[in-house]
Amino acid sequence: MKHLIKLTTFSMALAMFHPCGVRAQSAGSFVTTVGAEWLDFPNSSAQPIVSSSAFGTFTSPGTNVSVHNAFTPSVLLTYFITDHLAVEGFVAVPPKLEVSGHGNVMAFGAGGPSLALSNFQPALTARAFAPVLVAKYYLGGAESKLRPFLGAGINYTWFRSVQLNPLFSGTLSQVAGPGGTAQASASPSWNPVVTAGGTYQINKRWSLTGSVIWFPLKTTASFNAVNADGQVVLSNKTRISAAPLMVNLGVGYRF
């Protein structure tokens, strides 16, 4: 991943605008870029887990989570409004994120049973849908071969197929009693986005693009014990902060 970031940074630093004789990135151009995305979560963390039941509400100090890195294919759709200003939509195959838990959950207080999250790894998995829409400003002219860019925009992230570790799920189901189940979810969120990178124009149609995208992702993860009547008998919540660094490399085609 560090090599990808260095490559993108190097492309930006090479702001030498060599004319290539074609206006491949000019007003009205539409470029589709297909590539791959590396998601790095260097500073993921969570607030202590809060558990609520008929016995009261208790916080488990020292509990935390870490989100594992992931890799997935990606597609960028870029439209040039002017020679310098473009709008871009970014989508990727929803990666399967793995979340590891740390510390001990004391759902019924300090005097009750303690559950070590280290026994359930990963504690949770989920598919993340995180499309991005940005406005980008390109340096250099439309005929330049190398064009660094900066951008900002918005992201909406939601999660599907949120699943607990089978052993963790089984433990919660026992708390729910006969016929009980464990249910997990993660809340969606809107997030501001910043991006930087560069495009190298191979010829009038084809190009190479490298970029880095960052946004402060937050979600509330819940994992509950639900009895046979559908009532939540034990709820557990934590607020997760992930702030992924998304490194993208791709090959673009101008239509």
Side-chain angles (χ1 to χ4, degrees), residues 100-251:
S100 293
H102 312 287
N104 299 318
V105 178
M106 295 173 286
F108 303 106
S114 177
L115 189 65
L117 292 175
S118 59
N119 293 331
F120 315 106
Q121 300 295 359
L124 179 147
T125 60
R127 291 284 180 183
F129 295 75
V132 170
L133 181 65
V134 296
K136 298 165 63 177
Y137 185 82
Y138 283 77
L139 303 177
E143 73 286 350
S144 300
K145 207 167 185 65
L146 177 65
R147 302 191 70 184
F149 58 77
L150 297 171
I154 193 76
N155 153 263
Y156 181 69
T157 298
W158 72 98
F159 302 91
R160 293 289 184 270
S161 302
V162 182
Q163 298 180 343
L164 295 175
N165 179 288
L167 293 177
F168 193 12
S169 178
T171 301
L172 278 180
S173 297
Q174 291 177 7
V175 174
T181 60
Q183 298 179 358
S185 64
S187 64
S189 64
W190 290 95
N191 309 287
V193 174
V194 292
T195 184
T199 296
Y200 180 80
Q201 200 66 37
I202 300 173
N203 55 40
K204 183 178 180 180
R205 296 292 182 185
W206 295 95
S207 60
L208 299 174
T209 295
S211 66
V212 177
I213 299 173
W214 179 89
F215 58 90
L217 175 64
K218 295 182 182 296
T219 182
T220 298
S222 303
F223 44 100
N224 305 324
V226 182
N227 66 19
D229 296 328
Q231 297 178 327
V232 176
V233 297
L234 173 63
S235 69
N236 305 276
K237 292 184 178 181
T238 182
R239 185 69 170 171
I240 300 175
S241 300
L245 189 66
M246 303 159 61
V247 181
N248 301 281
L249 292 175
V251 177

